[in-house]
Amino acid sequence: APLLGLLLGKPAFSTTRVACGKNRRLRQKRAISERKLTRYFVDHRRVRVVGGQGGDGGHTFYSEPRKIFGGPDGGNGGDGGHVVLKADQQMKSLSSVLPFYQGVHGGRGGSKNCYGANGASVYVKVPVGTTVKEDGVVVADLTQHGEEYVAAYGGAGGKGNRFFLSNENRAPMLFTPGEPGQERVLHLELKTTAHAGLVGFPNAGKSSLLRALSNAKPAVAAYPFTTLNPHVGIVHYEDYEQVAVADIPGLIRGAHQNRGLGVAFLRHIERCRFLLYVVDLSVPRPWIQLQDLKYELEQYKKGLSERPCVVIGNKIDLAQSRINLPLLKEQIDDRVIALSALTGDNLEELLLHLRELYDIYVKTEQSQGQRPVKW
């Protein structure tokens, strides 16, 4: 092959070398750190939306041979297009939402009483669980797939001179311009919609537990660090039911006072129907972690810590954890499930109890005439 390339005047190259280089680039592309992952997750956006302007009314007069006084025939202008926010379960972040949207303008009214075309509406896809605020007031809460909210209405089209024809005025020259579209500045906030929320301090093993329970791949490492954006994993059961579990990051002592990552991710806990408190059994007095976690949740929103829950004692594979486990059960009244996210010990008990909490949630929603969230 190299000799044939030289004879044809083409540079010789190795296909094996090109393939190896491509595989090396693919491996480098997959190795994305937790800090780099935050670029792709955005949970708040400021958006300026403007409806399309209505088209002007026409001001023409009908004329043809032997009929020079045909009268006014200017049509009305078309309406401007709306800007519509639409919840889509395929969207997981607000990163693709642009800072400005405008509806399509309406067409101008034409002769022979032809109406202008209506402007097309602009649809903006947002994740399920997006809250729309204007001046700090919630104006929409998109919690279901396909739910829509008109963020800005388009302006009405103007009237042509045909509209003003009357017995008193047989040749009106009057026409009206199209109205401008509605203009608003909205703040979009994403609150992760999941059935269960993993709540715990950094390095308690939440990300490792989520990897063990589902197909989610949050970053984990042998050194201490904190997750910088929420991850949602789906737990599949044999009857095809799916339970969504969210890893809520950034919770430390004083988070409700905006310490650390602050309240940036506490909003994601509001959507969770039940909570999974993850505590590190290897630290002295692990029940203090649970008390601090419930205190932070209660300070952020009253009643948040009273939701159905289970306490997960992680790192049971360590010797100190086995000593602290009976002490933890004596100090708290909640159910404790001891497991190891690293080795997979006792994950079955957590999966069974997670399904019990999910079934209770579904029955409660159906008894109240509401539709439970499905994934």
Side-chain angles (χ1 to χ4, degrees):
L3 181 59
L4 180 60
L6 291 175
L7 292 176
L8 296 177
K10 297 180 180 180
F13 63 94
S14 172
T15 56
T16 305
R17 188 181 307 164
V18 173
C20 292
K22 186 180 295 185
N23 292 337
R24 189 181 302 111
R25 287 195 299 271
L26 289 175
R27 286 196 297 268
Q28 292 175 353
K29 190 174 182 179
R30 294 192 197 101
I32 301 178
S33 65
E34 179 67 27
R35 186 172 296 276
K36 290 181 180 179
L37 282 172
T38 59
R39 301 177 187 174
Y40 309 106
F41 182 82
V42 177
D43 61 352
H44 58 87
R45 265 290 193 244
R46 180 182 180 272
V47 183
R48 179 169 163 260
V49 289
V50 181
Q53 183 171 353
D56 297 336
H59 54 290
T60 58
F61 288 87
Y62 183 77
S63 178
E64 66 177 15
R66 296 181 300 276
K67 192 174 183 182
I68 59 176
F69 298 108
D73 67 346
N76 298 336
D79 297 333
H82 309 318
V83 178
V84 183
L85 303 179
K86 185 174 183 179
D88 189 346
Q89 63 184 6
Q90 299 297 328
M91 303 291 293
K92 302 303 179 184
S93 171
L94 295 174
S95 58
S96 61
V97 177
L98 302 177
F100 175 74
Y101 289 96
Q102 185 173 24
V104 180
H105 299 321
R108 181 187 180 90
S111 59
K112 298 183 180 179
N113 203 28
C114 291
Y115 283 32
N118 293 332
S121 297
V122 175
Y123 286 85
V124 183
K125 291 184 178 181
V126 296
V128 175
T130 300
T131 300
V132 185
K133 292 184 178 181
E134 184 178 20
D135 297 329
V137 179
V138 177
V139 295
D141 196 2
L142 307 177
T143 58
Q144 299 292 337
H145 174 69
E147 192 174 356
E148 297 181 359
Y149 172 71
V150 181
Y153 286 94
K159 302 298 183 182
N161 61 344
R162 172 79 180 185
F163 178 82
F164 298 98
L165 177 65
S166 65
N167 292 331
E168 291 77 16
N169 188 359
R170 304 303 300 174
M173 299 292 293
L174 180 64
F175 71 96
T176 59
E179 297 182 0
Q182 184 183 16
E183 182 174 353
R184 304 170 71 184
V185 176
L186 303 175
H187 293 268
L188 308 183
E189 290 185 1
L190 173 60
K191 299 178 181 179
T192 303
T193 302
H195 301 117
L198 289 173
V199 183
F201 289 126
N203 305 314
K206 301 187 302 296
S207 298
S208 300
L209 182 59
L210 187 63
R211 291 173 69 100
L213 291 175
S214 65
N215 292 329
K217 301 299 181 185
V220 296
Y223 51 86
F225 75 98
T226 182
T227 304
L228 297 178
N229 60 287
H231 297 272
V232 179
I234 308 300
V235 181
H236 300 270
Y237 289 90
E238 293 182 355
D239 57 351
Y240 302 103
E241 285 287 353
Q242 298 179 352
V243 180
V245 181
D247 175 12
I248 310 298
L251 191 59
I252 64 172
R253 292 177 179 86
H256 71 279
Q257 298 174 345
N258 218 21
R259 294 180 182 175
L261 296 179
V263 298
F265 296 117
L266 281 173
R267 69 170 70 97
H268 296 280
I269 306 179
E270 297 182 37
R271 302 285 192 188
C272 299
R273 274 57 182 186
F274 41 90
L275 303 178
L276 309 178
Y277 293 102
V278 183
V279 297
D280 186 355
L281 285 177
S282 64
V283 301
R285 298 194 300 173
W287 55 89
I288 301 297
Q289 297 182 43
L290 181 62
Q291 297 174 2
D292 292 339
L293 289 172
K294 290 189 175 182
Y295 175 77
E296 293 297 330
L297 297 185
E298 196 65 23
Q299 292 299 312
Y300 173 72
K301 184 177 181 180
K302 192 170 183 61
L304 194 58
S305 64
E306 299 176 359
R307 295 188 179 182
C309 67
V310 62
V311 179
I312 301 173
N314 194 18
K315 305 181 183 180
I316 193 60
D317 52 307
L318 302 179
Q320 186 62 37
S321 300
R322 300 189 190 96
I323 299 175
N324 292 334
L325 178 59
L327 301 177
L328 175 64
K329 292 183 177 180
E330 293 177 359
Q331 295 290 333
I332 63 176
D333 298 329
D334 299 320
R335 178 174 178 177
V336 179
I337 298 178
L339 54 81
S340 174
L342 180 63
T343 62
D345 294 342
N346 208 26
L347 280 178
E348 294 81 4
E349 182 180 355
L350 175 59
L351 291 172
L352 292 175
H353 188 66
L354 184 64
R355 181 58 189 270
E356 292 177 6
L357 293 173
Y358 172 77
D359 291 339
I360 294 174
Y361 154 71
V362 172
K363 292 179 181 178
T364 303
E365 292 291 306
Q366 292 176 348
S367 63
Q368 297 176 355
Q370 300 179 0
R371 186 171 59 178
V373 176
K374 296 284 186 178
W375 279 74

